[in-house]
Amino acid sequence: MSQAETTGTRVRPLALLGSELGLLFRRRRTWAMLAALALVPVLIGVAVRFRPNAESGPPFLTAISENGLFVSFTALTVSVPLFLPLTVGVVAGDTIAGEASLGTLRYLLVAPTTRVRVLLVKYAAAAVFAIAAPLVVLLAGIAVGALLFPIRDVTLLSGVTVDAGGFAVRCALLVVYVAVSLLGLSAIGLFLSTLTTVPVGAMAATIVLAAASQILDSLPQLDWLHPWLFSHWWFGFADFLREPIVWDSFQSNALLQLGYVALFGALAYGRLSTKDILT
Amino acid sequence: MNKLSRWLPAAAVPIVVVAGAVALPAMSAAGDVPDRRPEEVLDLIASSAGVAFSGTVEQTSELGLPELPESDMKGYGSSDESAVVEFLTGDHSARVFSDGAEGQRVQLLDRLAERDLIRNGSEVWAYDSKRDEAIHAVLPEDAEWSAPATPPDLAEALLAKIDPTTAVSVESGNRVAGREVYDLILTPRTEESLVAEIELSVDADTGLPLRVEVDSTDGTDDAVSVGFREIDYDTPSPDLFTFTPAEGTVVHEKQPTPGVAPAMPEPPEPVVTGEGWASVVELPGDVLASADPEQAALFEQLTVAVPEGRVLSTSLVSVLFTSDGRVLAGAVPVETLQAAAR
């Protein structure tokens, strides 16, 4: 009996995460957002196909007509400041408030589980989305680029080329970098989501904070504040496109995001564990 | 009471973060190296020729220039002139590799871009990722080579200028990039210069100059600072010093003729007044006449009008563009330039 119980408790968190992920990725809204993200490289690819000789534009844009694989990098650069925080804000802002607004949070907490565990599972699902989102952008970019343009070995920022295997490794690293970049924002969204029963409010607040952080980061008068802003290292992913790879910005970014996850995770715990759940 | 304890983690996290931010920099204890005289430190620097290293260099400037807002749009087709201004106002980092002999590589780490300078013997390559263009040049046999703006090369240029107008002293006990250093302090023996002192930090072990900091008399400490953030004395991989342009990279061949910079008109002979740190250089040259509208707008933004013309004033250097088409510059206050222009 005791054995059954231990395996039971061991399995339950994973089962909870599985059902949460099922819930997230069965929603039509999640797929609509991923489709919108995939549309970014499609638009870039089509635009460059029809007007190939752009003089200026986002980084990597001019390289596209020579090498279609650059569609993926251009799309990621364009998505990082706006589209990715937007979609992550929607997912993270919905975590607790979405259940509360549907009146299901009560039942979730009645089930044999703790509020901490509910919080962890909700956050883990948001983190999985933060991985899926940049992955979709890159994969769609590669597909569109290969379809519309000639492809060849990719020239890195340092002027050296990598073959297909090297390119795959770099893309995987980029996904990791961008996903880690979005963890802090996800934690903020999770906390805001515990404050309200109106999910749209938490989503909007999260997205506004992402924009505000980037605006503060662009004001030179506030340079003492910049290293503490969660968006400060968002563009550092380009350091993975150098040879040899620069790890400094990834380390700084990971430490910073860890701080945000710890702070807002603790705040979310404080709020959810002391809150009277009425809905 | 029980409810209050649920908020304890949220209160603990900021405390841990602040404690970490305060404690970590303080962890690097002061060094303990034997005292040395300035001449001995200069000998130590001379002995560092041929040291192989790789490291990350950071450059910061607080020159008091009007700051142009950084933006995500940076590099979206910005002009060369604004790139120069951006270089003077912003902070930069670069990776530097040297095999101690004929191989050097400098990687300027721009946001979403990179500029590389690679030297292997007499072969020199420059690569700009934004344009995907490379420049190839073969140095003449007797050519002098120095990597731009790295602490060792800046130190060499500085030390060549030490003369009786400069007081030299040594301090020890500091650390740069985790290494114990001697600080060679160069102080101008004049009140008229904007340069208060230059601090040159030299690795106590290898003699490699690790950091150069310039303080201004207007109270700005570290008006310019170029130094290693991290350094490693292992010999870097030889692959770093070869460059093969990728398919699709546009390559420009340059053949420099010894002594004359390529495609540059013979510079007019400058007139120098004053001496040492307070000297003023005067050049003929009408900047405004040759500027296009974009350059002119940038020029207007950076300079202020004075009776003699327009002046660019920073905490270390002043430049006066007179209305009659002369340019006066020096590490002196604007008033000195105005007096010299009359």
Side-chain angles (χ1 to χ4, degrees):
Chain A
M1 187 198 87
S2 65
Q3 196 191 356
E5 244 179 34
T6 41
T7 46
T9 46
R10 209 178 288 154
V11 168
R12 207 181 296 135
L14 275 182
L16 207 58
L17 179 62
S19 86
E20 185 61 38
L21 284 176
L23 200 66
L24 178 64
F25 285 96
R26 268 199 303 272
R27 299 188 85 150
R28 213 174 293 160
R29 185 176 68 197
T30 307
W31 287 103
M33 288 194 299
L34 290 177
L37 285 173
L39 204 60
V40 173
V42 173
L43 287 177
I44 291 171
V46 171
V48 174
R49 184 79 188 147
F50 285 107
R51 285 281 312 277
N53 297 319
E55 280 288 306
S56 62
F60 310 116
L61 187 76
T62 44
I64 290 177
S65 51
E66 297 274 321
N67 187 348
L69 295 177
F70 275 100
V71 174
S72 55
F73 296 158
T74 313
L76 195 65
T77 312
V78 170
S79 305
V80 159
L82 181 63
F83 299 115
L84 289 174
L86 202 74
T87 51
V88 165
V90 168
V91 170
D94 189 53
T95 45
I96 303 295
E99 300 275 1
S101 76
L102 291 174
T104 47
L105 186 57
R106 229 178 343 171
Y107 302 110
L108 204 61
L109 295 177
V110 165
T113 179
T114 62
R115 293 186 181 192
V116 180
R117 199 171 287 165
V118 168
L119 212 54
L120 285 177
V121 164
K122 287 284 182 187
Y123 184 70
V128 169
F129 182 81
I131 298 169
L135 186 68
V136 165
V137 173
L138 277 181
L139 288 180
I142 294 167
V144 170
L147 218 65
L148 294 179
F149 303 98
I151 58 169
R152 58 164 88 136
D153 287 354
V154 167
T155 309
L156 298 175
L157 292 177
S158 307
V160 297
T161 52
V162 287
D163 56 13
F167 176 69
V169 171
R170 303 282 173 153
C171 283
L173 286 172
L174 288 184
V175 170
V176 171
Y177 191 105
V178 175
V180 168
S181 299
L182 294 168
L183 287 183
L185 184 65
S186 301
I188 293 171
L190 180 76
F191 168 61
L192 292 174
S193 190
T194 61
L195 296 181
T196 172
T197 55
V198 186
V200 175
M203 294 174 195
T206 311
I207 294 160
V208 165
L209 280 179
S213 171
Q214 293 182 77
I215 291 168
L216 292 178
D217 203 21
S218 69
L219 297 176
Q221 287 79 2
L222 296 174
D223 53 3
W224 54 271
L225 182 69
H226 292 174
W228 299 95
L229 293 170
F230 60 86
S231 65
H232 184 64
W233 299 101
W234 277 5
F235 280 101
F237 66 83
D239 283 356
F240 280 171
L241 297 176
R242 308 185 195 278
E243 179 61 40
I245 290 174
V246 178
W247 291 98
D248 300 10
S249 57
F250 181 75
Q251 286 166 2
S252 307
N253 185 32
L255 199 63
L256 180 73
Q257 303 297 335
L258 186 72
Y260 270 93
V261 172
L263 177 61
F264 284 93
L267 283 171
Y269 164 73
R271 171 68 183 165
L272 189 69
S273 57
T274 55
K275 184 178 173 181
D276 293 325
I277 308 293
L278 300 172
T279 53
Chain B
M1 199 57 219
N2 188 29
K3 278 203 169 189
L4 211 59
S5 70
R6 311 284 178 134
W7 291 97
L8 275 181
V13 169
I15 295 170
V16 171
V17 168
V18 170
V22 172
L24 278 181
M27 293 257 279
S28 56
D32 182 26
V33 288
D35 286 341
R36 287 189 198 244
R37 287 177 294 121
E39 303 83 66
E40 291 175 320
V41 175
L42 290 176
D43 286 345
L44 187 66
I45 296 174
S47 75
S48 74
V51 171
F53 61 88
S54 54
T56 309
V57 172
E58 281 200 336
Q59 180 246 327
T60 61
S61 309
E62 302 253 347
L63 288 172
L65 284 169
E67 299 203 57
L68 308 174
E70 282 180 67
S71 74
D72 301 338
M73 296 311 217
K74 190 193 284 177
Y76 284 24
S78 63
S79 66
D80 287 346
E81 291 75 29
S82 55
V84 170
V85 175
E86 185 254 312
F87 193 83
L88 287 174
T89 55
D91 299 349
H92 294 269
S93 58
R95 269 192 309 182
V96 184
F97 304 92
S98 173
D99 68 358
E102 301 210 299
Q104 274 100 35
R105 180 169 192 144
V106 178
Q107 297 182 313
L108 200 55
L109 308 178
D110 301 324
R111 186 182 173 103
L112 298 169
E114 185 172 313
R115 282 165 282 172
D116 277 47
L117 191 62
I118 305 123
R119 180 215 172 197
N120 194 352
S122 59
E123 295 266 321
V124 176
W125 284 93
Y127 177 75
D128 182 345
S129 79
K130 240 178 245 173
R131 301 164 197 232
D132 197 14
E133 283 179 354
I135 298 171
H136 178 229
V138 180
L139 291 176
E141 280 292 309
D142 53 347
E144 286 277 321
W145 163 265
S146 79
T150 59
D153 291 280
L154 280 177
E156 196 180 309
L158 274 176
L159 295 177
K161 291 207 168 62
I162 290 187
D163 57 18
T165 65
T166 313
V168 183
S169 61
V170 174
E171 287 175 8
S172 58
N174 280 334
R175 273 173 187 271
V176 172
R179 309 280 305 179
E180 294 179 357
V181 291
Y182 290 110
D183 291 325
L184 204 59
I185 315 278
L186 313 180
T187 317
R189 288 187 207 272
T190 169
E191 300 281 294
E192 285 156 42
S193 174
L194 284 173
V195 177
E197 65 170 44
I198 298 178
E199 189 181 317
L200 180 62
S201 304
V202 180
D203 192 317
D205 192 29
T206 63
L208 196 74
L210 295 184
R211 190 173 67 191
V212 179
E213 287 180 341
V214 187
D215 294 352
S216 161
T217 44
D218 72 0
T220 314
D221 281 350
D222 306 344
V224 172
S225 164
V226 181
F228 281 99
R229 190 178 64 209
E230 55 189 48
I231 186 152
D232 182 348
Y233 285 107
D234 292 338
T235 305
S237 151
D239 294 345
L240 285 170
F241 307 119
T242 58
F243 184 81
T244 316
E247 196 188 342
T249 301
V250 183
V251 178
H252 304 280
E253 289 287 339
K254 279 228 169 120
Q255 291 302 332
T257 27
V260 182
M264 282 278 274
E266 194 71 28
E269 198 63 28
V271 184
V272 182
T273 54
E275 65 168 23
W277 294 91
S279 53
V280 173
V281 180
E282 183 180 332
L283 282 167
D286 201 341
V287 185
L288 281 178
S290 60
D292 66 36
E294 192 188 348
Q295 288 171 320
L298 191 68
F299 182 77
E300 290 276 315
Q301 209 177 348
L302 289 173
T303 56
V304 288
V306 290
E308 287 79 8
R310 294 193 73 84
V311 71
L312 172 75
S313 170
T314 72
S315 49
L316 286 180
V317 180
S318 303
V319 186
L320 173 65
F321 304 90
T322 63
S323 326
D324 56 1
R326 291 174 297 155
V327 180
L328 287 91
V332 291
V334 174
E335 296 76 46
T336 315
L337 292 183
Q338 286 175 291
R342 285 185 203 119

